[in-house]
Amino acid sequence: MEIYLFFLFGGIAVVGALAMVFNKNAVHSALFLLLTLVMIAGLYVLLNAQFIAVAQIMVYAGAIVVLILFVVMLLGAELGESIPRWLTLRNSVMVLLALVFLTVSGTAVYDWLYSTQPITGTVTDEVIARQGSVQLVGESLFTQFLLPFELASILLLVGIIGVVVLGGWRLVQHRQRGE
Amino acid sequence: MEQIINWLANILSNASWWGLPVEPAASVIVWAVYGFILALVVAPMAMIVLTWLERKIIARIQDRIGPNRAGPFGIMQAMADAIKMLTKEDITPLGADRIPFNIGPGLAAVASILIFAVLPVAPGLIGTDLSIGIFYVVAVGAFSILGILMSGWSSNNKYALLGAFRAVSQLVSYEVPMVIALITVAVVAGSMSTLTITENQTLASGGWYIFAMPLTFLIFFLASVAEVGRSPFDLLEADSEIVAGFHVEYSGLKFGLFMISEYVHALAVAALSATLFLGGWNGPGVAQAVAASPFWGGVLGFVYYLLKMGIFIFIMMWFRGTLPRFRIDQLLDFGWKLLTPLSLVNLLVMAFIVRLFQPGNVSMGAEIPAGPLASWGGIGQTITMLVASVLLVFLTTLVVRAFARRSRARGFRAIAAIEN
């Protein structure tokens, strides 16, 4: 069951990503981007990371893609360049076959190298069932990854203040001149 | 619900030729049926009943009678409207972008219906008890913005596009205070699961959260009404300014899907408010009834739940019947300059109080000492939170009044400068 779902989500994600890159219409590209990201959230669910999956959907569907769409629509910049000329059916089929070959051979080599060690981590289904994925994420953010977490939050704060300064600068100048 | 599952499991175990393990398969089928009923029966019925109810209530508020011709109390009027909507011609404008135009309404309706998956509507009756329940609600709600944006843009109509722009600026800004209010609830309950939040609101553990956190409730409810886009926050379909906003080009059932989306979302907001702040299906006698018979206990809990939902539905219709529409700058000022800072301060204060009353425990291998007031128990925490909320409201009033006086004085000075 899981493997079918993996190929379903993964396949749609790959198709959506390709469609995003090769689409003429910027709004359609943004919508395909969202499709890809939602499918990747599905992959996160398959990996038992529901919190990350929902956070991904919330951040991208709720904010980022909506803002991308907003800007594209506001500027009226829907139509970009058309499909490049080197992209013919023959070339794309060749690239696809090369990728398939690379994947198959790479998997074979990987299996041959690591076939004896089973891949396990500390976060198993049993651990998630006992502690819950939110608690696990929170705990590792505030213990193991505290420094990167705080750095990221400072970076975001700087970004927010920067936006306010850039956006409000003209207003401040205007006020100073006016009063 | 357990009984139904067991009964179905028995039936299915007699027909186990399909090679699936019996117990999970039975529950999957039960939940699939629950989902189908929710999506295909409850959603359209909610729209039909709520439109009728809204027309009746607003008519009474405005001293009219409302629909009263078709059927008793005009209740068949909504049916007739629904049938009219079904039989209308389905028009796709020539300049429209066909695929987003057709996906948009469906996406908006599905986003609203999906919220019900995590709402515990009766003891033992919940779609799925996710550990990230209320976070899921926010994430799914994001899709309705997307549906509105898609349909507004693809209609290729300036009014629709203006409606979509307004929708984005409004929904994205009001999502912030709403999420922070939800986080406050999660901090106090110690969980994001809607089921745990409901179970934490018994009398022994401090009672309903509306008594502990009236301010959080107000922030959440106002932000949610804005999120649904209902009056007085209905700028995205302000008919006197931009015709009908994002759904101006839609006809027939696609327009109906937008109506379903709006009313089911309103219903979901009412249900979520009842779950988070009025104790969900908790009520006098539910625990005893569940102990005596799970089925009738569930029915009793469901009745309480419907009553609590009804209160919020009525309040929303009351808003619509009495309040005039906001202007867009007032709306954004209210969201960003009042609700967002207030919800942040509220979160800090509530988290501090929760820490004061936290019983000591051992979590993740680290020992957490008990808070200094832990011995006061749940009721003490509720009373402290109530006092803190009232103080916060008082302080906010002072601050807002100071700002209002300053801006009024500035206005007077400007007028005086012009006159001189």
Side-chain angles (χ1 to χ4, degrees), chain B residues 302-314:
Chain B
F302 188 56
V303 169
Y304 283 137
Y305 197 75
L306 282 185
L307 281 178
K308 288 169 183 176
M309 257 164 81
I311 294 172
F312 292 120
I313 292 277
F314 179 74

Side-chain angles (χ1 to χ4, degrees), chain A residues 25 27-28 31 34 38 50-51 54-55 57-58 61-62 65-67 69-70 73-74 78 131 133-135 139, chain B residues 97 100 131-132 135-136 138-139 142-143 145-146 149-150 153 161 164-165 168-169 172 175 179 190 192 364 410:
Chain A
N25 192 322
V27 171
H28 291 180
L31 292 174
L34 182 69
V38 170
Q50 293 115 350
F51 180 72
V54 172
I57 289 181
M58 196 185 117
V65 171
V66 166
L67 288 181
L69 280 173
F70 190 63
M73 289 175 190
L74 203 61
E78 286 98 339
Q131 299 192 332
S133 65
V134 191
Q135 281 88 339
E139 193 211 355
Chain B
D97 196 341
S131 61
I132 43 169
F135 200 42
Y136 165 88
V138 178
F143 278 104
I145 306 180
L146 209 76
L149 198 53
M150 271 165 85
W153 173 75
L161 196 59
F165 285 163
V168 172
S169 54
V172 170
E175 216 174 339
V179 171
M192 291 207 279
M364 319 267 177
R410 196 187 294 148

